[in-house]
Amino acid sequence: MSPPLAATPILDQEQATAHYSYSFGTGEFWKQLGQTFTAGVDGLLTGLELRLGRTPDSLTTGSLSIEIRNTETGPASTGHNYLQTPIVGSHLLAAATISTADLPVVDVTLGQVAPFSPLITFATPVSVHAGVAYSILLYGSGADRFVWSLDLPASAYGGGNAFARMGNGYAWSFVGFAGNPPTLGDFGFRTYVEGTAAPGSEPMTLSLWGLGLAGLALRRRRLRAEAIASLP
């Protein structure tokens, strides 16, 4: 029996629009950026595409870390107050890195937005479940300056939010315009999931059924032959 074919990852979640860009890095005001999302299918999250770049004056000696994490309910600043909401969690599920030199130059002062990156894959895919919220965390190394482009002020993506913070130990802030209620944005991202195969797929089931019929026919022929042989 030949092994089953590997499932092809499908596009699950997407926020493709971008009008603005956030710069971040160890030397920037914002050290870390995050985006929450809600999985639409059960399966293995195998990769991401993100609207990423580097600023024109960035060094290219470091790298950018991309992590998939859980979400935790916690406070996030709107500029006026704090709201309890799903934010980037503390449990690391998968990680990857990109060299700064491999990112395109994006000049935020000219209103430029970053294109989608090539597919970013993980050595160990993440098991995700439909309806469960997860998060993407980005942070850089060295003095490199990065860009993640987003849809603002009125993102149509309803499965999560964009966040920024000044580093570990600081509270997250919503990315958007302060107000009551605030206008929130979402970073550009796509998630790709390899769906979980259902047990007993149709081709295998049909094959087993066919073998069962063949066995039944063979048994009937044997019984008939034995009955004829026993006749006087």
Side-chain angles (χ1 to χ4, degrees), residues 54-109:
R54 56 184 168 92
T55 62
D57 58 350
S58 173
L59 299 178
T60 56
T61 56
S63 61
L64 178 65
S65 294
I66 302 103
E67 296 181 355
I68 301 296
R69 295 184 173 230
N70 67 329
T71 58
E72 299 170 355
T73 300
S77 173
T78 66
H80 288 288
N81 54 19
Y82 284 86
L83 299 178
Q84 292 292 318
T85 188
I87 57 176
V88 178
S90 58
H91 183 45
L92 174 65
L93 302 176
T97 57
I98 298 178
S99 172
T100 307
D102 292 333
L103 295 173
V105 173
V106 178
D107 193 339
V108 297
T109 65

Side-chain angles (χ1 to χ4, degrees), residues 29-157:
F29 181 81
W30 298 117
K31 307 294 190 298
Q32 301 174 357
L33 298 182
Q35 172 71 45
T36 55
F37 66 94
T38 303
V41 296
D42 293 342
L44 297 175
L45 192 157
T46 58
L48 302 170
E49 292 174 348
L50 306 174
R51 282 188 171 271
L52 296 177
R54 56 184 168 92
T55 62
D57 58 350
S58 173
L59 299 178
T60 56
T61 56
S63 61
L64 178 65
S65 294
I66 302 103
E67 296 181 355
I68 301 296
R69 295 184 173 230
N70 67 329
T71 58
E72 299 170 355
T73 300
S77 173
T78 66
H80 288 288
N81 54 19
Y82 284 86
L83 299 178
Q84 292 292 318
T85 188
I87 57 176
V88 178
S90 58
H91 183 45
L92 174 65
L93 302 176
T97 57
I98 298 178
S99 172
T100 307
D102 292 333
L103 295 173
V105 173
V106 178
D107 193 339
V108 297
T109 65
L110 299 178
Q112 296 178 353
V113 296
F116 272 105
S117 67
L119 186 66
I120 302 164
T121 58
F122 304 104
T124 303
V126 180
S127 179
V128 295
H129 303 281
V132 177
Y134 301 89
S135 59
I136 306 167
L137 173 64
L138 269 58
Y139 58 91
S141 66
D144 300 6
R145 303 177 64 195
F146 305 94
V147 168
W148 195 359
S149 297
L150 72 157
D151 189 17
L152 191 71
S155 172
Y157 181 70

